[in-house]
Amino acid sequence: MKKPFLFTLAIFIAATSFAQIDKKATKETRNLYNNLKALQKQGVMFGHQDGLAYGLNPDGTRWVGQKDRSDVKTVSGEYPAVLGWDLGKIEFDSSRNLDKVPFAQMRQYIVDTYNRGGVNTISWHLNNPTAPKKTSWDKVDSTIRHTFYTPENLKRYESWLDKVANFLKSLKTKNGVLVPVIFRPYHEHTGSWFWWGADHCTPEEYKKMWHFTVDYLINKKDVHNILIAYSTDRFNSKEHYLERYPGNNYVDLVGFDLYHRNAPASNEQFKKDFQRMVNTLEEIAIENDKICAVTEMGLEQLTEANWWTNIVLPVVQDTRLSYFLVWRNGYDRHYYAPYEGQKSVPDFLKMLQSGKVLLEKGAEQKHLYQKK
Ligand code: BMA
């Protein structure tokens, strides 16, 4: 009798320590979580923000909303494995997000990506719940304190979360399957450029906002198709990374955002910092039993022709990272993924040839939404 009981207990402990935070998550969301975990070290997926919504033509002019188009696909033949989206302005029932992507289109891109076996991640550059005309970037001190302090503000914030919940629950395939997404709120909070940044709230306030938001979406609004991602900006140490960490019951994926600025002068320093941060992130992921990813990165205008194999690949290959995502191809002076004719295209292809970085087909082969 004794042995089977201990055996069952061991299985139970193993199973619970591997569980994601939402015990009611849909089957596909659970499969995504378990597969991302099980498939760590089997290639890192490449992601692109808004990659299906718009991009650049060879002459640097923009294309917007063209069916089946993606700059990454144009240069490589495949869609990115991961697509990033942002809900900014959903607070106001706007038909388009802060970067003018129509929400109805975004919903379709998310479903299309899921149908191809890819992964979607969603951030939220929301306005200020205590002063709704102010954007994420209007740095108002103590916003979080005043959100909870004044019932009117809290009510407003709840109404914004209702809209987020409605959008997340509207992500359904033709057959009614809810599409899992990685939801990544309140990002880059080790920096201070957003109202939730380090200088504008205490660690306790930040955690309170996080707990409230996650509890509201999952428990109050019954959103069960999300994995929750915590992503800092630059950090100096493990302690710094974890200073505002809301706890293992509130996070499924740990990540960070890091941009490469002032190339080429900063190349060596950037690579060193990037390597150090990935190492620390992997340690944190192992210790806390979480998935990990570089949730945003990039070199604006890809001014280094060999950026992908000189700087990115050596750091991201053979790691536990599930993915790294570069930011949007917004316009001719603000882009992060190669487009047709861009000077880093050959090197981007060389990175893909290494077999270590996966696009859509690599993601598809992982069968991320199926139980193994
Ligand atoms: C920033 C820039 C902005 C954009 C914002 C939210 O990094 O790309 O143009 O509005 O992200 O996507």
Side-chain angles (χ1 to χ4, degrees):
M1 280 308 279
K2 225 173 175 182
K3 216 172 176 185
F5 171 72
L6 285 179
F7 184 68
T8 317
L9 186 69
I11 298 263
F12 177 74
I13 291 170
T16 49
S17 74
F18 273 81
Q20 66 193 89
I21 64 173
D22 178 10
K23 303 296 173 244
K24 290 189 187 164
T26 65
K27 186 174 79 194
E28 291 74 17
T29 312
R30 283 200 313 269
N31 291 344
L32 174 63
Y33 176 85
N34 290 330
N35 289 330
L36 286 178
K37 198 151 224 187
L39 296 170
Q40 288 177 123
K41 293 204 160 182
Q42 302 197 17
V44 54
M45 295 188 284
F46 177 83
H48 189 200
Q49 183 74 4
D50 283 349
L52 308 179
Y54 53 80
L56 296 174
N57 297 309
D59 65 0
T61 56
R62 301 185 76 211
W63 62 265
V64 178
Q66 290 180 15
K67 199 172 159 15
D68 301 331
R69 192 164 172 186
S70 133
D71 285 348
V72 169
K73 183 176 164 226
T74 304
V75 303
S76 72
E78 283 184 59
Y79 289 103
V82 178
L83 271 303
W85 309 104
D86 195 277
L87 296 184
K89 276 207 174 14
I90 206 164
E91 309 88 90
F92 310 111
D93 286 324
S94 165
S95 62
R96 302 192 298 175
N97 85 342
L98 78 170
D99 297 318
K100 302 195 171 58
V101 181
F103 283 111
Q105 290 292 322
M106 192 189 293
R107 180 181 295 118
Q108 191 56 50
Y109 297 138
I110 290 172
V111 173
D112 291 347
T113 298
Y114 169 80
N115 284 337
R116 285 197 288 264
V119 177
N120 292 285
T121 172
I122 295 186
S123 51
W124 187 22
H125 286 88
L126 72 163
N127 274 26
N128 186 314
T130 70
K133 288 210 170 109
K134 291 191 187 296
T135 72
S136 296
W137 291 268
D138 291 322
K139 299 168 273 291
V140 183
D141 281 348
S142 307
T143 293
I144 296 179
R145 184 145 51 83
H146 292 304
T147 300
F148 289 107
Y149 196 65
T150 315
E152 187 198 332
N153 292 338
L154 189 59
K155 234 173 109 192
R156 182 180 298 116
Y157 183 55
E158 287 178 345
S159 77
W160 290 0
L161 288 176
D162 290 344
K163 296 176 209 287
V164 170
N166 289 343
F167 183 80
L168 295 170
K169 290 202 278 191
S170 77
L171 302 172
K172 281 191 182 159
T173 67
K174 257 196 346 247
N175 302 328
V177 175
L178 272 169
V179 174
V181 299
I182 298 170
F183 184 57
R184 187 171 71 92
Y186 298 120
H187 61 302
E188 301 182 359
H189 57 283
T190 48
S192 293
W193 41 89
F194 299 136
W195 55 253
W196 57 86
D199 288 349
H200 314 299
C201 58
T202 66
E204 289 321 307
E205 286 164 355
Y206 181 85
K207 289 184 211 173
K208 185 171 176 176
M209 191 60 154
W210 189 282
H211 294 158
F212 181 86
T213 302
V214 171
D215 282 337
Y216 192 91
L217 290 175
I218 295 181
N219 301 326
K220 178 108 194 272
K221 300 301 292 184
D222 270 318
V223 177
H224 298 302
N225 54 327
I226 49 176
L227 300 179
I228 302 291
Y230 169 86
S231 74
T232 65
D233 198 81
R234 184 178 287 274
F235 55 89
N236 307 322
S237 64
K238 199 187 281 184
E239 293 66 38
H240 187 199
Y241 184 92
L242 293 171
E243 190 190 23
R244 286 159 195 252
Y245 187 66
N248 281 336
N249 293 335
Y250 282 88
V251 174
D252 291 309
L253 181 151
V254 289
F256 66 78
D257 296 3
L258 186 71
Y259 285 88
H260 184 178
R261 299 196 172 89
N262 305 320
S266 63
N267 285 4
E268 284 318 304
Q269 188 59 46
F270 175 80
K271 204 165 154 182
K272 240 166 97 184
D273 288 346
F274 187 30
Q275 182 70 64
R276 171 185 58 78
M277 288 168 68
V278 168
N279 292 348
T280 306
L281 185 72
E282 287 193 287
E283 269 177 42
I284 293 168
I286 292 169
E287 284 166 16
N288 295 280
D289 196 19
K290 301 293 171 193
I291 317 162
C292 61
V294 178
T295 40
E296 270 184 46
M297 68 174 294
L299 168 68
E300 193 175 50
Q301 293 184 43
L302 288 163
T303 49
E304 295 294 287
N306 296 328
W307 193 65
W308 304 103
T309 62
N310 269 354
I311 294 186
V312 180
L313 185 62
V315 178
V316 300
Q317 67 187 355
D318 304 322
T319 61
R320 306 173 77 84
L321 293 171
S322 294
Y323 67 89
F324 66 96
L325 176 140
V326 299
W327 206 237
R328 63 198 200 98
N329 281 6
Y331 44 92
D332 58 356
R333 275 166 300 114
H334 185 58
Y335 63 84
Y336 296 88
Y339 60 92
E340 196 182 350
Q342 204 279 331
K343 73 171 175 185
S344 77
V345 169
D347 191 58
F348 182 72
L349 298 177
K350 195 170 154 200
M351 172 177 78
L352 297 178
Q353 275 150 20
S354 74
K356 309 266 186 185
V357 175
L358 310 176
L359 295 183
E360 174 204 3
K361 287 184 193 131
E364 210 175 2
Q365 276 159 18
K366 289 188 177 209
H367 298 296
L368 292 170
Y369 301 100
Q370 284 167 30
K371 190 163 182 173
K372 299 268 172 15

